[in-house]
Amino acid sequence: MKLLVTGGHGFTGRHFIKAARDHGHEVTTLQADLKDREAVHQQVCEAAPEAVVHLAAISFVGHADASAFYNVNVIGTLNLLDALAALAQPPRSILIASSANVYGNCEQSPITEEQPPAPVNHYAMSKLAMEYMARTYLDRLPLLFVRPFNYTGPGQAESFVIPKLVSHFAQRAEAVELGNLDVEREFNDVRFVCEAYLRLLLKAMPGEVYNICSGKPVTLRSVIELLGQITGHQLQVNVNPAFVRSNEIHRLCGSPTKLIDTIGAVSSPALVDTLRWMLAEN
């Protein structure tokens, strides 16, 4: 298919474009600033895509400018959808990347798509607002929504915990500061996420939400142990109270049942293989 990808220069975008081309798709990336309505309309018209994967967003939860989350994640998406709706031939499938952050601090895991959203920060709130806004286009556009749980791989910013740890081990640093080491989270491989996205473009039902997850959480402590085994380096870990949340949820993972029922099982590299890949690219 002719795919239009937003956020093509970002962490996920770079890996997704490679995966899409490996599958034989023709990929165009949107270069326009999503906030520039006219530029977005012009480039979407020129691309005339058969499918769209919308990855562009401000994704770092700690981003300093709260309004930027809404300007990019909500209004930017609005501009994109307006442009797609104006095409003479609408795309056959449009994937909108939201986030599992919209679920907030759930007491129960694994989390299914039926779990009511309860966002607790501006990033998650903007993603949920984006989802609701986009639903107003379902009478005109075949939208599907994905809520990925944590995933990682080469090229992810070191503001995220796994790349931060990989960098410290690669540099054979003496110590690192972290928060709670015993929380359990999914740390899936970006290649698993890209494969799921590609299959959903072909098989998802418009209007549906899909968790992108494995349902297999691990502790940060076990990630540190794995990195130590791979590198032969021992890193001193100091728990910084500033990084420990008072209401930290111990175990957080998603239910992949709906995803598997829709696209079949997606093989995901073992965490040790993901970490080796990241170390080799560091």
Side-chain angles (χ1 to χ4, degrees):
M1 290 188 293
K2 287 176 62 179
L3 297 183
L4 176 65
V5 177
T6 74
H9 298 297
F11 162 58
T12 309
R14 292 193 298 273
H15 289 285
F16 177 80
I17 288 170
K18 180 184 183 303
R21 287 176 173 157
D22 287 348
H23 278 70
H25 298 297
E26 177 186 335
V27 181
T28 300
T29 59
L30 186 77
Q31 302 296 326
D33 185 332
L34 282 173
K35 301 189 297 297
D36 186 339
R37 177 183 170 84
E38 295 307 317
V40 170
H41 274 250
Q42 180 179 340
Q43 288 190 19
V44 166
C45 184
E46 291 170 357
E50 293 174 285
V52 178
V53 175
H54 177 36
L55 304 174
I58 293 180
S59 58
F60 177 51
V61 172
H63 189 78
D65 181 4
S67 65
F69 286 114
Y70 302 94
N71 290 334
V72 174
N73 298 355
V74 183
I75 302 304
T77 302
L78 173 70
N79 291 337
L80 175 67
L81 296 181
D82 273 345
L84 293 170
L87 289 171
Q89 181 65 46
R92 297 195 305 235
S93 183
I94 302 169
L95 183 148
I96 305 291
S98 182
S99 170
N101 270 268
V102 302
Y103 295 119
N105 293 331
C106 280
E107 296 291 346
Q108 300 296 322
S109 279
I111 298 166
T112 70
E113 290 82 356
E114 283 70 45
Q115 174 69 32
V120 295
N121 54 55
H122 284 297
Y123 167 64
M125 189 69 77
S126 71
K127 283 292 193 178
L128 185 59
M130 177 195 71
E131 286 189 32
Y132 285 140
M133 178 278 295
R135 287 189 171 279
T136 66
Y137 287 81
L138 279 173
D139 60 336
R140 290 163 283 169
L141 295 172
L143 307 175
L144 67 109
F145 303 90
V146 292
R147 293 174 178 168
F149 283 69
N150 290 1
Y151 62 95
T152 192
Q156 189 176 35
E158 289 183 24
S159 52
F160 294 89
V161 68
I162 302 300
K164 176 180 178 178
L165 281 169
V166 167
S167 175
H168 277 70
F169 273 95
Q171 295 169 19
R172 306 188 84 77
E174 290 185 7
V176 66
E177 287 193 345
L178 297 174
N180 189 337
L181 303 183
D182 296 309
V183 293
E184 294 183 50
R185 297 289 184 268
E186 293 194 23
F187 294 114
N188 299 311
D189 191 294
V190 66
R191 293 168 290 190
F192 159 79
V193 174
C194 293
E195 177 65 24
Y197 286 1
L198 284 165
R199 291 198 204 176
L200 283 169
L201 283 174
L202 300 173
K203 297 185 176 182
M205 290 289 292
E208 290 295 316
V209 172
Y210 299 90
N211 285 342
I212 310 299
C213 58
S214 62
K216 300 174 182 176
V218 296
T219 65
L220 269 185
R221 193 181 297 277
S222 67
V223 175
I224 294 164
E225 289 172 359
L226 268 178
L227 284 166
Q229 291 167 16
I230 296 167
T231 62
H233 176 64
Q234 296 305 308
L235 182 69
Q236 180 180 328
V237 179
N238 300 320
V239 175
N240 185 335
F243 297 164
V244 178
R245 299 172 191 162
S246 59
N247 61 344
E248 189 89 74
I249 299 299
H250 174 67
R251 187 173 191 268
L252 191 61
C253 68
S255 167
T257 301
K258 183 175 179 179
L259 181 69
I260 293 169
D261 287 348
T262 304
I263 64 172
V266 180
S267 62
S268 181
L271 179 59
V272 66
D273 295 326
T274 306
L275 296 175
R276 287 185 189 278
W277 182 34
M278 294 174 73
L279 285 163
E281 297 284 332
N282 200 269

